[in-house]
Amino acid sequence: MSMAPTSSVHDDHAKPWETVRRGLLLLVSSPAGAGKTSLSRRLAADYADLILSISATTRPPRPGEEEGREYFFKTREAFMAMAEAGELLEWAEVNGNLYGTPRAPVMATLDAGKDVLFDIDWQGARQVAEKAREDSVRVFVLPPSWSDLSRRLHARAQDGEDIIRQRLELGKREIAHWSEYDYVIVNKDFDRAYADLIHIYRAERMKPGRNPWLPGFVQELEDEA
Ligand code: 5GP
């Protein structure tokens, strides 16, 4: 897959109005095992203007997960203290654990004119979209089949049979919300699904409202004409 990452508007030759950019909130949901995390992390790695939101959670770290990279791991008390202090943009209980989005990094990213990417369940996506409808873009990732989803969860070999069954059950409930989303990707082939996600992101970036520099640019074109 060779698609050039976005060229930042923050380049050395930019005129003042060219640097003005209104950040969007790209919310990606799916049942566990459908590929959402790999797709999201790759997009954030390839696009410098898109910053992955790192959530807080009460779930214990899985092998290989690091504090501040996959999640900020919290006790239930510490998590609830953050929620009560208004430090979370949204939060929800998923499978008995609490997950939430720290507000400050999201605001700082938007203030810097950059976009934020969320790996988030349907409850969180709904809460963020309610708070910032104009700025939110919701993407749902579906597996190509139920057997494929089950196979992917088994292949991860991270969880025992009981946990996998729980995650599949939870997946069914997640999928029930697919129609609340702006876009749906069926992840049959990773490269294809990734190309689809890039297209969604790039097209949404080109909406006039997200580029407040356009009137100045057009004015300059008209003055030159
Ligand atoms: P996991 O435990 O597999 O990492 O994540 C379980 C679920 O929680 C996934 O659907 C994931 O997208 C969701 N999730 C992760 N972070 C957040 C968050 O900050 N808020 C909400 N509402 N869901 C989250």
Side-chain angles (χ1 to χ4, degrees):
M1 248 284 317
S2 64
M3 264 191 120
T6 177
S7 63
S8 168
V9 291
H10 304 277
D11 65 51
D12 291 343
H13 307 293
K15 300 191 173 75
W17 41 260
E18 281 181 322
T19 59
V20 185
R21 183 180 191 278
R22 185 182 171 102
L24 62 78
L25 307 170
L26 188 62
L27 301 146
V28 185
S29 302
S30 79
K36 158 193 58 179
T37 305
S38 310
L39 288 166
S40 304
R41 291 201 172 243
R42 169 121 179 240
L43 193 70
D46 282 352
Y47 287 83
D49 286 331
L50 181 65
I51 310 297
L52 185 69
S53 165
I54 308 295
S55 302
T57 184
T58 61
R59 155 166 96 55
R62 296 200 185 106
E65 287 186 335
E66 269 178 35
E67 168 69 13
R69 191 180 65 190
E70 279 78 15
Y71 285 104
F72 296 106
F73 297 98
K74 304 282 176 198
T75 61
R76 220 171 163 96
E77 293 67 36
F79 187 100
M80 286 315 296
M82 287 176 81
E84 277 154 26
E87 290 169 21
L88 299 176
L89 187 61
E90 60 73 36
W91 65 276
E93 182 157 350
V94 183
N95 214 12
N97 295 305
L98 304 179
Y99 295 82
T101 304
R103 183 190 298 272
V106 173
M107 294 312 168
T109 303
L110 291 177
D111 284 348
K114 298 193 175 196
D115 305 317
V116 188
L117 176 60
F118 302 76
D119 174 333
I120 198 166
D121 89 317
W122 69 270
Q123 305 172 82
R126 186 187 271 181
Q127 289 176 57
V128 175
E130 274 168 7
K131 284 184 181 150
R133 186 65 203 104
E134 287 296 302
D135 296 322
S136 298
V137 178
R138 283 179 285 179
V139 181
F140 200 90
V141 181
L142 284 171
S145 69
W146 198 254
S147 54
D148 185 272
L149 189 70
S150 170
R151 191 158 34 78
R152 287 196 216 183
L153 285 181
H154 281 95
R156 272 187 191 174
Q158 267 175 340
D159 302 309
E161 197 55 48
D162 276 359
I163 303 276
I164 292 178
R165 214 169 303 125
Q166 254 178 35
R167 291 168 81 77
L168 284 169
E169 204 40 58
L170 190 73
K172 264 190 213 162
R173 278 180 266 145
E174 188 77 26
I175 286 178
H177 294 276
W178 71 277
S179 62
E180 293 172 28
Y181 286 73
D182 302 309
Y183 299 96
V184 179
I185 296 175
V186 179
N187 184 10
K188 189 166 184 189
D189 168 82
F190 183 86
D191 286 346
R192 181 70 190 270
Y194 184 57
D196 289 344
L197 185 60
I198 290 176
H199 289 137
I200 292 165
Y201 174 50
R202 295 301 301 141
E204 287 287 342
R205 269 266 34 110
M206 282 174 239
K207 290 201 165 151
R210 303 215 160 100
N211 296 287
W213 54 272
L214 272 169
F217 175 72
V218 173
Q219 185 63 56
E220 194 157 287
L221 281 179
E222 285 170 351
D223 291 349
E224 236 185 287

